[in-house]
Amino acid sequence: RGPRSWKCLGLFSHSDQTLAAQTLKCQERGSTSKGGGGRIADALASGSRNYTTQSFSIDGVSTWAQGIETEQEIVHGRKGSVPMIQAEPMRDTIVGLTSLQHHNVFSEGFTTQLAKNIESMEMLKRQFDVASVSTAFPGTSIAMQLKQVALLMNVREQRRTERDLFFVQLGGFDTHTDLHDVVNDKFTELNAALSAF
């Protein structure tokens, strides 16, 4: 018997392989180990230099951007930071709910996290409002995501962040027919987006 080999779980399962790619731990099922990017942000923040870090998921929630200590910031792929509360009457209601003292650990946790997320989204929205890029980006999904990354990089000093991590994605590679044409089209789309970036 030779040394024990570790094999990735669920080799023919799309969801398992997506999680494996985002956690960088294919031998563990699920996302309990958190995302690769989030763990990198954790390491940078807790390392000898104590970098201030942020981890962003552009265009939706991702496992990759979530760390153990680092919370992912979610940015809309085309609109940037969209505030959770868009009307003053709703703001007053939510502020009232989140300022109540609850005697239940779950309620306290929920309201604390909700208030923190609203504050974070509003601060990010203010930063997006002053960010700009002079480059014209194509209208594709991946190009618009990279534009959001460029805008965030533009206001890095205002955000007081030393290291940023970004998760963007381009789907549609899972094909069982027309492989050559699909991959060629996807790489053309990606190349145009990266050229603008």
Side-chain angles (χ1 to χ4, degrees):
R1 261 184 163 212
R4 186 175 180 179
S5 64
W6 292 92
K7 294 183 180 177
C8 293
L9 301 171
L11 287 175
F12 298 102
S13 163
H14 292 250
S15 59
D16 285 333
Q17 291 309 298
T18 298
L19 273 177
Q22 291 192 26
T23 62
L24 306 178
K25 290 191 173 188
C26 69
Q27 300 84 2
E28 296 177 15
R29 195 172 301 281
S31 61
T32 55
S33 58
K34 303 299 181 183
R39 291 196 323 272
I40 291 169
D42 289 342
L44 288 168
S46 65
S48 60
R49 296 196 179 181
N50 290 0
Y51 288 113
T52 54
T53 62
Q54 280 191 288
S55 183
F56 295 92
S57 178
I58 312 297
D59 207 22
V61 176
S62 76
T63 299
W64 186 88
Q66 182 63 49
I68 295 166
E69 297 294 324
T70 302
E71 294 287 336
Q72 67 178 305
E73 299 279 347
I74 300 167
V75 175
H76 191 280
R78 291 186 181 272
K79 299 177 184 176
S81 183
V82 180
M84 185 180 284
I85 303 170
Q86 297 185 0
E88 284 303 315
M90 184 113 174
R91 174 186 306 279
D92 294 341
T93 302
I94 290 183
V95 167
L97 288 172
T98 57
S99 62
L100 289 175
Q101 182 75 26
H102 300 277
H103 300 290
N104 177 304
V105 67
F106 298 109
S107 296
E108 281 298 321
F110 175 80
T111 56
T112 300
Q113 191 64 44
L114 178 61
K116 181 179 166 185
N117 288 348
I118 290 170
E119 181 182 333
S120 173
M121 290 170 70
E122 288 177 346
M123 182 171 27
L124 201 55
K125 174 72 171 124
R126 287 190 297 274
Q127 292 161 347
F128 263 103
D129 287 345
V130 298
S132 65
V133 290
S134 58
T135 307
F137 282 80
T140 62
S141 174
I142 189 66
M144 291 293 96
Q145 291 175 65
L146 289 174
K147 180 179 181 181
Q148 302 312 316
V149 171
L151 289 167
L152 285 163
M153 291 171 68
N154 179 270
V155 292
R156 184 174 64 91
E157 288 182 15
Q158 292 91 322
R159 292 187 293 108
R160 298 186 183 127
T161 303
E162 296 171 294
R163 299 292 184 267
D164 285 321
L165 293 105
F166 302 98
F167 178 83
V168 298
Q169 60 184 339
L170 173 62
F173 285 94
D174 181 24
T175 179
H176 300 275
T177 60
D178 301 324
L179 178 65
H180 183 271
D181 292 336
V182 170
V183 170
N184 186 51
D185 291 346
K186 289 294 175 183
F187 278 8
T188 300
E189 179 182 345
L190 182 59
N191 187 53
L194 287 171
S195 294
F197 184 70

